[in-house]
Amino acid sequence: MKNPTEYSSEFLFSKNEVSPNIKSCIVIPVKDEEAYISKTLTSFLNQVDIFGEPLDFDQFEILVLANNCTDNSVALIKDFQLNYPHLNLYLDEVKLSPANANIGYVRRKLMEYAFARLSKNGGGVIMTTDGDTMVASDWIAQTHWEIDNGAEVVGGRILLSNDELAGLDEFTCTHHFKDEKYRLLIAELEGKIINSEFDPNPRHHQHFNGSFAITTQCYKRSGGVPEVKYLEDCAFFERLETVDAKIRHSNKVVVYTSARCVGRTEIGLSYQLNVWKNLGNHADDYFVESCASIIQRFTQKRNFIKLWEFKNHTKSEFFQTLQKIAPEITASEKIYTSLISSSYFGEWYERLIQNEQFNSNRKFPDVPIDNAIKDLQSKLQEYSDYDFAQTSIL
């Protein structure tokens, strides 16, 4: 396309009709990714099912939207199309106005296109990754396995590729692995306290665009990706929670991404790596939410999940249960009204956490990350000891 311009969405990817056998539509936004895009696309050539058998190329398609590229990304993608015509790889190129030249807009549009295409086949799975990311050989299959087993949304494990890790300085690596450990411990603790039937341990903390999938049905129910300039994955996750989406943080779904410290978006993994790089050996300056605060937050959420079960009970029964489960919360007409007017638990819970009284109970200051990790490990050991003791009795 010689002079790509920003145009109406119905023309994008219109040159190629979706095949009737397509079950997954994978969307990849690209902006100046000449260093990685060939590796990203190559990772789709050898996809296998969960038994290790080659995956039928007719089951998935890839939509790449190259926006405002100034390097050789587009030429490389076109060469890839010519070299591997059996891969359902479709490219469109656009030049976006400053108002829309952001990852939030591009990703949202791509997912809208994927939804429209899959809807012609009666539905399917919208998947997304990044132009600097290589998916595992069973990435598609393991995602579908999770969905076939009850998930509506799947966040995959996003790891830094080994060769990229080797290029990071000592302090950046140290901060990265500490942060990973901290967040994985939180995810495990959440699994212990909330004990979700569709997202049990082992689980992780990532639901980001490097590896993300959603059924078309759930996408429609949610209303799609919110209109934000960046961190659209976080905004979408929050929206999905408000409609009680069954979100699975799967360790079986894996991708490997770059460790560059200068990214293509204002805020993201590259931004965070750069923060850690600048932090250097000043580890004491890295403060995070404390274990005590995290426990209180998860415990309160678990209690409100129990309260949600009383939605169809009388007002007096609800207030009596509220007093037993969450005595720190004052029973009020406002809380009850928000309960009965909410269609989903997540919608009600979002209203609750915006309540000043609800938030005023959290008085725990942030702590150095080393302290938080130590406390989380101790608390998880307590849970493990309790679980072992309970099992031993049986």
Side-chain angles (χ1 to χ4, degrees):
M1 190 177 298
K2 291 185 179 180
N3 293 300
T5 56
E6 192 167 356
Y7 44 78
S8 182
S9 61
E10 67 255 25
F11 295 110
L12 286 173
F13 304 104
S14 61
K15 297 187 296 293
N16 302 95
E17 284 294 321
V18 61
S19 166
N21 296 321
I22 296 295
K23 298 178 181 178
S24 302
C25 185
I26 301 153
V27 299
I28 306 175
V30 167
K31 184 180 187 300
D32 295 341
E33 293 289 5
E34 65 180 3
Y36 297 100
I37 190 60
S38 294
K39 292 181 180 179
T40 296
L41 297 177
T42 298
S43 66
F44 288 100
L45 293 176
N46 300 304
Q47 288 292 300
V48 297
D49 63 22
I50 59 173
F51 303 107
E53 296 297 321
L55 197 66
D56 189 344
F57 286 107
D58 288 340
Q59 293 184 16
F60 66 93
E61 66 175 14
I62 304 168
L63 308 183
V64 178
L65 184 58
N67 68 98
N68 298 40
C69 287
T70 59
D71 66 357
N72 292 319
S73 295
V74 171
L76 290 170
I77 297 166
K78 288 180 177 179
D79 285 345
F80 203 92
Q81 287 177 307
L82 291 174
N83 292 331
Y84 303 98
H86 57 285
L87 187 66
N88 295 310
L89 171 62
Y90 307 125
L91 166 70
D92 254 314
E93 184 185 0
V94 293
K95 183 175 178 60
L96 298 174
S97 64
N100 292 330
N102 58 75
I103 188 60
Y105 176 84
V106 176
R107 186 94 58 178
R108 178 165 53 84
K109 284 298 178 183
L110 272 169
M111 296 191 83
E112 287 175 1
Y113 307 146
F115 173 77
R117 290 173 70 86
L118 289 170
S119 294
K120 294 178 181 179
N121 288 351
V125 180
I126 302 168
M127 304 177 69
T128 188
T129 188
D130 293 320
D132 65 339
T133 302
M134 285 63 72
V135 304
S137 60
D138 59 352
W139 184 66
I140 296 174
Q142 292 292 358
T143 297
H144 275 269
W145 187 91
E146 294 290 2
I147 289 172
D148 291 343
N149 282 274
E152 295 178 303
V153 177
V154 181
R157 189 76 174 95
I158 304 171
L159 303 172
L160 295 182
S161 61
N162 289 332
D163 55 337
E164 295 270 332
L165 267 174
L168 291 177
D169 65 85
E170 176 187 354
F171 296 122
T172 304
C173 274
T174 299
H175 295 316
H176 167 69
F177 283 119
K178 277 187 180 182
D179 185 77
E180 280 280 283
K181 188 172 187 178
Y182 169 69
R183 298 191 187 283
L184 286 169
L185 288 169
I186 292 174
E188 185 179 354
L189 186 61
E190 183 177 14
K192 293 282 189 182
I193 295 175
I194 302 297
N195 195 27
S196 168
E197 63 177 317
F198 50 82
D199 196 19
N201 285 326
R203 60 194 295 274
H204 60 80
H205 59 292
Q206 296 168 312
H207 35 256
F208 310 130
N209 284 325
S211 180
F212 186 85
I214 183 170
T215 65
T216 49
Q217 184 178 19
C218 186
Y219 179 88
K220 183 178 180 179
R221 186 168 90 239
S222 72
V225 180
E227 295 186 20
V228 294
K229 289 185 176 181
Y230 47 79
L231 295 181
E232 72 285 357
D233 42 11
C234 296
F236 195 23
F237 175 76
E238 290 175 2
R239 174 173 288 185
L240 290 168
E241 284 198 308
T242 66
V243 296
D244 293 352
K246 296 177 181 178
I247 304 169
R248 176 63 175 143
H249 295 85
S250 175
N251 288 314
K252 296 180 179 180
V253 181
V254 181
V255 301
Y256 303 90
T257 195
S258 74
R260 62 189 176 196
C261 293
V262 179
R264 303 295 180 266
T265 62
E266 294 183 52
I267 297 178
L269 176 59
S270 300
Y271 172 88
Q272 187 60 62
L273 288 172
N274 194 52
V275 168
W276 290 326
K277 181 178 181 180
N278 293 330
L279 190 61
N281 64 349
H282 301 291
D284 292 341
D285 295 337
Y286 189 21
F287 280 68
V288 295
E289 184 182 8
S290 69
C291 177
S293 176
I294 293 165
I295 290 173
Q296 184 189 64
R297 178 160 55 85
F298 289 155
T299 302
Q300 282 189 325
K301 184 174 183 179
R302 181 191 62 194
N303 290 340
F304 280 105
I305 290 172
K306 292 179 181 178
L307 275 171
W308 177 253
E309 299 172 1
F310 284 79
K311 180 181 180 181
N312 296 322
H313 290 224
T314 65
K315 185 191 298 187
S316 60
E317 288 175 323
F318 169 76
F319 283 141
Q320 287 174 9
T321 307
L322 174 64
Q323 197 62 35
K324 292 178 182 178
I325 292 179
E328 72 279 5
I329 303 297
T330 303
S332 68
E333 190 68 30
K334 184 177 180 181
I335 288 180
Y336 182 71
T337 301
S338 67
L339 171 77
I340 60 176
S341 63
S342 298
S343 300
Y344 302 100
F345 165 76
E347 178 187 4
W348 181 50
Y349 185 68
E350 183 182 52
R351 294 176 179 177
L352 288 174
I353 62 177
Q354 292 172 350
N355 185 295
E356 290 184 7
Q357 180 200 347
F358 184 84
N359 286 315
S360 66
N361 293 310
R362 300 177 184 166
K363 300 177 180 178
F364 300 97
D366 289 347
V367 298
I369 191 168
D370 288 335
N371 294 5
I373 288 173
K374 182 180 178 182
D375 293 342
L376 285 165
Q377 289 174 323
S378 297
K379 182 55 64 175
L380 282 166
Q381 186 60 52
E382 288 179 22
Y383 274 98
S384 297
D385 292 343
Y386 175 78
D387 290 343
F388 178 76
Q390 292 295 100
T391 305
S392 300
I393 294 172
L394 300 177

